[in-house]
Amino acid sequence: MLVAVLMLFMVFSFTGVAVLNVSYLSYSTSVETVNNIKLQYAMESSVNETLWRINNGPDSLVNINTDGITTIFNPVLNTLSINVDKFQMETEILLDLSEDTHFDRAIAAEESVDLDGYGADVEEDHQPRGGFNFLPEADIQYFLDNATKVYSDSWKVWSNRTFPDGIHVFTGNYIALDDIRITSGTLVFTGHHVSFWGDNDITAPDGDTTGTYPALVFTNPAQDFDIYSNLGNETIIGAIYCKGDINIQNGNISGPVIGRNVTLNNRFSLQDDEHRDRYRWTKGFGHRNDYDWPKQIGRWKTKHWIKKHQEA
């Protein structure tokens, strides 16, 4: 009888230990899950805060080491490393921050892009973007130094004319171009009240390894530009840059289209897929590194995510 009682006691003891062990493991797993969630929240908050810092001030502001969080930006590789060592856990991720420039977008604006309920039919990697808060600066001296010809006339219409290849700079006001053609050239306008009539056909030069060329450049903030033709056959292959506003109605346009505000007045399909070579740095706007471009996440790599040993 005594042996039976002792055996029963041992069974209950083992059962109790097993229940306690399961309870401990359950508690431990629960704590680990909570810490995982807290660590993930801390990481996501750090990413959001760091991206805000890097896009609203000097890049060096993101280099911090506080409260278990270390962030380091590499301006050469455009990578951002974030390490979070908290809650008895540690994780580190590496973000590839690709620079987002106006020339990477089919439609880009300093202030806003208004599609007015219409669709801009462009490739996924060329989606329109407004709110850049600045425009790249056209280097007038670059265009003058490399110009094929400079035209100073005001109150003049160039009609039914083929221009020779190269850069053509127009410095006058109240001028118009009507049914003009250029097969490998850039037209630059420094004045205001510049109009395009008829169906013009303009193709920018191809460029080289350092960048491509724009098709049209309007440098006067008082000058707006309407992309419109009576028959809808206006063809502009190459970037269109306007310091003022741009209104798009019809035509055969490769993009990028860059202005203070850009409005779409009709459903429009840009020929961006056929002219991907136009979506890169564009000559006549200084050097790419002259600007503090908005950063965005390109690739996200988790370097490690580990549970640290509980200290005694």
Side-chain angles (χ1 to χ4, degrees):
M1 182 67 178
L2 179 60
V3 173
V5 171
L6 290 174
M7 291 295 294
L8 185 61
F9 176 76
M10 290 181 65
V11 169
F12 284 151
S13 296
F14 283 127
T15 302
V17 170
V19 170
L20 288 174
N21 188 51
V22 170
S23 177
Y24 171 77
L25 291 175
S26 177
Y27 170 77
S28 178
T29 301
S30 177
V31 170
E32 185 175 336
T33 300
V34 170
N35 285 342
N36 260 303
I37 294 173
K38 290 164 68 175
L39 190 69
Q40 182 177 349
Y41 176 78
M43 175 59 75
E44 291 176 353
S45 297
S46 298
V47 170
N48 290 334
E49 180 181 351
T50 303
L51 287 177
W52 182 87
R53 285 174 180 270
I54 206 168
N55 282 320
N56 289 276
D59 294 345
S60 58
L61 287 179
V62 307
N63 296 324
I64 61 172
N65 184 355
T66 180
D67 193 26
I69 299 174
T70 303
T71 59
I72 301 172
F73 177 66
N74 186 323
V76 177
L77 300 177
N78 270 326
T79 57
L80 175 66
S81 172
I82 301 179
N83 181 283
V84 179
D85 187 353
K86 304 178 72 167
F87 318 117
Q88 295 302 316
M89 305 187 77
E90 182 183 1
T91 184
E92 183 176 352
I93 62 172
L94 188 67
L95 304 178
D96 173 21
L97 299 185
S98 54
E99 295 177 336
D100 188 11
T101 81
H102 303 71
F103 300 107
D104 295 319
R105 303 283 181 159
I107 301 174
E110 175 183 9
E111 297 177 10
S112 68
V113 173
D114 183 5
L115 301 182
D116 199 22
Y118 300 105
D121 186 10
V122 296
E123 294 299 302
E124 184 64 30
D125 54 340
H126 298 153
Q127 288 298 304
R129 174 177 177 176
F132 268 92
N133 298 321
F134 72 99
L135 288 177
E137 287 294 330
D139 184 353
I140 302 301
Q141 196 58 50
Y142 169 86
F143 292 116
L144 289 172
D145 290 345
N146 294 277
T148 298
K149 189 170 182 179
V150 177
Y151 309 82
S152 59
D153 313 69
S154 292
W155 300 94
K156 182 176 177 64
V157 176
W158 282 267
S159 182
N160 194 24
R161 177 171 175 176
T162 298
F163 285 89
D165 294 349
I167 297 174
H168 298 263
V169 180
F170 299 80
T171 61
N173 303 314
Y174 299 98
I175 62 177
L177 285 81
D178 177 20
D179 288 332
I180 62 97
R181 293 163 298 281
I182 184 166
T183 57
S184 180
T186 298
L187 305 182
V188 181
F189 304 89
T190 64
H192 54 81
H193 289 85
V194 178
S195 302
F196 273 43
W197 300 343
D199 293 292
N200 302 288
D201 191 339
I202 301 162
T203 298
D206 293 331
D208 52 32
T209 56
T210 63
T212 188
Y213 288 90
L216 298 176
V217 177
F218 301 90
T219 66
N220 195 314
Q223 166 68 33
D224 297 335
F225 180 55
D226 295 324
I227 303 175
Y228 171 80
S229 63
N230 295 329
L231 301 177
N233 292 329
E234 187 117 69
T235 297
I236 305 173
I237 306 303
I240 300 170
Y241 170 92
C242 184
K243 196 75 171 175
D245 297 338
I246 297 178
N247 299 294
I248 304 174
Q249 178 69 29
N250 56 31
N252 307 303
I253 312 298
S254 72
V257 178
I258 302 166
R260 180 174 56 211
N261 294 285
V262 181
T263 302
L264 199 63
N265 296 315
N266 199 356
R267 184 167 184 84
F268 197 83
S269 178
L270 275 81
Q271 300 173 359
D272 58 314
D273 190 38
E274 300 97 308
H275 300 283
R276 286 184 170 273
D277 58 312
R278 304 295 177 178
Y279 287 80
R280 55 195 181 108
W281 187 248
T282 302
K283 294 176 182 289
F285 293 90
H287 297 285
R288 184 188 183 109
N289 294 334
D290 292 341
Y291 304 89
D292 185 14
W293 298 105
K295 311 289 193 305
Q296 62 180 2
I297 298 176
R299 291 185 301 251
W300 178 311
K301 177 182 179 181
T302 301
K303 297 185 70 175
H304 62 255
W305 188 300
I306 58 175
K307 176 184 175 182
K308 305 184 77 174
H309 294 295
Q310 183 73 39
E311 295 180 359

